[in-house]
Amino acid sequence: MSVLKAIDELIEIPIAEGEIGFIFMGFSALAMKTKSHCLVVDPADFLKGKSLAGRRINAILITHEHFDHLDVPTIAEIHRDTDAWVVCNPGSRSSLEGVISGEKLRTLKGGESIEIDGLEVTGLEANHPADEPLMFLVKSGDIRIFHGSDSSYTPAIENRYADVAFVPVGTPSPTASVDDALNMVKATQCKRVVPIHCTEDEASEFKRRVRSELPEVTVLLPKPMKVHKL
Ligand SMILES: [Zn+2]
């Protein structure tokens, strides 16, 4: 399915309070829909040249400035078409300044939070070789969503409860691993988990480990460019 068709399908499907609909695009790239909000995280260049005009996207979140997370022309296009807010880590800011209109570009450091259209976004300090990279914890209505970028586990995640977690499992990140992803799941006490930023083999290994160590947790292996609901 083309990514634009998938996004239109995502926008159409009904999502109840406490549920999430999402599309996994590759690396850490996700489009998400809750009952109240639509957001895009780390889209890299997966949405390049796709006109999203007329679609409601509240915010685009960028964890850090590496190519597999941030592609500036893609962000410029999505922002132009949807007027979405852009929330980024300090290392991404300089390349987005002047591209995203002033007040719609917001920078977060680890531990800081902002509210956008009723969506609460908290930056968590990541461990990854970038300029102040982030993970995100997002609260939309009653649902809390964790996005681990391609970080290893860090103490910033302790006591950060999440209902749904997108956890980075490995390739091509030097910091993400199956063990780190398991620790993220344990720290967030999350029961609905999606492995991202990994090979299929790594995702399967992660699912096997969760099944044996955290049997109460559901793992969904996402198919790229398909709409999933959790
Ligand atoms: Zn990455």
Side-chain angles (χ1 to χ4, degrees):
M1 190 188 290
S2 81
V3 66
L4 199 56
K5 243 178 125 178
I7 285 194
D8 282 338
E9 193 183 304
L10 178 69
I11 288 170
E12 288 301 314
I13 60 164
I15 300 290
E17 188 63 74
E19 285 183 336
I20 181 175
F22 71 90
I23 300 164
F24 170 67
M25 293 179 266
F27 299 119
S28 295
L30 291 153
M32 304 178 188
K33 181 186 175 186
T34 64
K35 186 170 191 295
S36 315
H37 300 99
C38 288
L39 59 154
V40 170
V41 186
D42 280 0
D45 64 356
F46 291 106
L47 295 168
K48 196 172 202 161
K50 317 288 178 196
S51 173
L52 291 175
R55 281 87 169 176
R56 184 180 64 107
I57 307 282
N58 299 93
I60 308 162
L61 312 184
I62 306 294
T63 63
H64 66 292
E65 60 277 15
H66 293 164
F67 79 97
D68 55 332
H69 301 259
L70 170 65
D71 177 69
V72 173
T74 301
I75 303 301
E77 286 177 16
I78 305 172
H79 175 72
R80 178 199 66 205
D81 290 342
T82 66
D83 201 32
W85 291 81
V86 178
V87 182
C88 70
N89 72 310
S92 299
R93 184 172 180 99
S94 59
S95 55
L96 290 167
E97 256 167 353
V99 176
I100 305 304
S101 48
E103 63 138 11
K104 289 262 166 161
L105 177 62
R106 303 291 299 271
T107 307
L108 284 184
K109 288 172 175 272
E112 292 179 346
S113 298
I114 53 164
E115 199 185 306
I116 290 163
D117 302 341
L119 179 77
E120 192 183 300
V121 182
T122 301
L124 303 173
E125 196 179 322
N127 177 34
H128 190 67
D131 182 4
E132 296 187 69
L134 296 175
M135 300 172 282
F136 287 111
L137 188 64
V138 172
K139 185 169 186 293
S140 167
D142 285 344
I143 190 167
R144 289 173 186 268
I145 303 156
F146 171 77
H147 185 288
S149 180
D150 59 0
S151 177
S152 60
Y153 174 79
T154 82
I157 310 169
E158 272 166 35
N159 301 315
R160 299 286 191 172
Y161 173 75
D163 300 291
V164 175
F166 296 91
V167 292
V169 171
T171 306
S173 166
T175 44
S177 75
V178 170
D179 282 317
D180 286 287
L182 273 167
N183 285 331
M184 289 179 182
V185 177
K186 289 173 188 166
T188 56
Q189 297 179 38
C190 191
K191 300 291 181 278
R192 289 176 274 168
V193 175
V194 181
I196 58 173
H197 211 291
C198 58
T199 62
E200 279 184 31
D201 285 351
E202 288 166 338
S204 300
E205 168 67 4
F206 171 75
K207 185 168 183 171
R208 198 185 60 73
R209 290 278 303 277
V210 171
R211 206 179 271 159
S212 72
E213 293 174 38
L214 302 164
E216 71 283 11
V217 173
T218 300
V219 177
L220 189 158
L221 301 187
K223 291 193 173 65
M225 309 306 177
K226 293 266 186 235
V227 176
H228 297 280
K229 201 163 152 177
L230 258 180

